[in-house]
């Protein structure tokens, strides 16, 4: 793996720190959250945060040259923000507009920019040089920092992370337990997933050749 992980000696200690932070802080909080907050409410919270991603998804679809997907994303946002009560209910999915997430890292990949070395970011986790740059571009497009102060924004972001972690308690536990080398497993899974995402989004847009039938 030296060709895509030349910083492994630096990445591993950061990964170890992130893992211990998860085991001793984030996972216990997530378990408490999961105990108190019903699954349906967790799903609604997740839908709200997905809806708030609209500027990121919409902008990157346009940058990738996919106006049809961008139009669907706009339609999703309008439906879920109104009939879906600010995104609490994903009415757009029932209307035939399923969501898909885009980010600037994927956009750079579509433009032919390579991943660069694998990179583990403190607290934030797996990334690459390309995706870290993409994250920096996407971050200012989040909705809530423009309407609330720094402390409420941190609280909102924390809620999003804890809610996501609560929804993935079992899967992450199994992932960690079954891994011979947890670091390598996470790294390879991340890189494979990102490669698949970029390849999918670089392909001709669905609907350009024939109408959607789903």
């Amino acid at each position: 793996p030296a060709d895509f992980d030349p910083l492994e000696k630096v990445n591993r200690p950061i990964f170890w720190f992130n893992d211990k932070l998860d085991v001793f802080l984030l996972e216990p909080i997530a378990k408490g959250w999961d105990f108190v907050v019903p699954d349906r409410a967790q799903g609604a919270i997740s839908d709200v945060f997905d809806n708030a991603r609209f500027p990121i998804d919409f902008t990157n679809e346009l940058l990738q040259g996919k106006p049809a997907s961008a139009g669907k994303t706009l339609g999703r946002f309008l439906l879920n923000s109104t009939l879906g009560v600010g995104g609490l209910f994903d009415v757009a999915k029932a209307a035939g507009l399923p969501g898909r997430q885009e980010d600037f890292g994927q956009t750079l990949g579509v433009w032919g920019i390579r991943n660069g070395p694998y990179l583990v970011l403190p607290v934030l986790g797996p990334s690459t040089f390309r995706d870290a740059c993409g994250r920096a571009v996407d971050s200012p497009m989040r909705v809530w920092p423009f309407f609330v102060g720094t402390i409420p924004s941190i609280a909102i972001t924390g809620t999003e992370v804890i809610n996501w972690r609560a929804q993935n308690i079992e899967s992450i536990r199994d992932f960690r337990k079954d891994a011979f080398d947890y670091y390598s497993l996470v790294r390879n899974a991340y890189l494979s997933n990102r490669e698949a995402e970029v390849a999918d989004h670089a392909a001709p847009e669905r609907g350009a050749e024939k109408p959607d039938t789903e």
Side-chain angles (χ1 to χ4, degrees):
D3 56 337
F4 57 82
D5 194 4
L7 301 176
E8 183 173 354
K9 290 183 178 180
V10 176
N11 284 333
R12 279 189 179 270
I14 299 174
F15 180 84
W16 179 89
F17 170 79
N18 289 348
D19 186 45
K20 298 308 178 187
L21 186 67
D22 178 76
V23 170
F24 293 110
L25 181 63
L26 187 55
E27 184 176 8
I29 294 174
K31 287 180 178 178
W33 180 271
D34 190 50
F35 180 78
V36 173
V37 182
D39 290 346
R40 181 170 295 183
Q42 291 181 29
I45 292 170
S46 180
D47 287 341
V48 169
F49 283 112
D50 286 345
N51 196 53
R53 280 186 53 91
F54 164 73
I56 298 174
D57 298 333
F58 181 75
T59 300
N60 281 292
E61 283 171 331
L62 290 179
L63 290 174
Q64 292 174 25
K66 296 169 183 172
S69 288
K72 292 178 182 178
T73 296
L74 176 60
R76 270 185 58 80
F77 178 73
L78 294 176
L79 279 174
N80 286 342
S81 297
T82 53
L83 298 179
V85 193
L88 280 171
F89 306 99
D90 192 354
V91 296
K93 184 176 181 179
L97 294 173
R100 62 186 276 178
Q101 292 191 352
E102 306 283 354
D103 59 63
F104 195 66
Q106 293 174 16
T107 298
L108 291 174
V110 170
W111 290 348
I113 306 299
R114 295 183 179 274
N115 273 319
Y118 179 68
L119 185 66
V120 180
L121 301 174
V123 181
L124 298 177
S127 187
T128 62
F129 274 28
R130 184 193 69 197
D131 289 347
C133 293
R135 185 189 293 267
V137 172
D138 289 332
S139 184
M141 288 190 282
R142 294 181 303 167
V143 172
W144 55 86
F146 296 100
F147 301 98
V148 299
T150 301
I151 294 178
S153 181
I154 292 173
I156 292 170
T157 301
T159 300
E160 180 182 17
V161 171
I162 291 169
N163 189 70
W164 177 88
R165 187 62 179 83
Q167 292 178 304
N168 293 275
I169 290 174
E170 290 80 8
S171 59
I172 292 177
R173 182 190 299 138
D174 293 341
F175 202 60
R176 182 185 283 125
K177 180 180 65 176
D178 296 338
F180 176 75
D181 180 1
Y182 189 38
Y183 170 85
S184 296
L185 184 62
V186 171
R187 177 195 62 197
N188 295 341
Y190 177 82
L191 293 174
S192 296
N193 182 63
R194 292 299 286 175
E195 182 179 354
E197 288 178 339
V198 170
D200 175 60
H201 299 319
E205 188 176 8
R206 243 177 35 154
E209 298 178 0
K210 62 180 180 180
D212 291 339
T213 57
E214 298 181 358

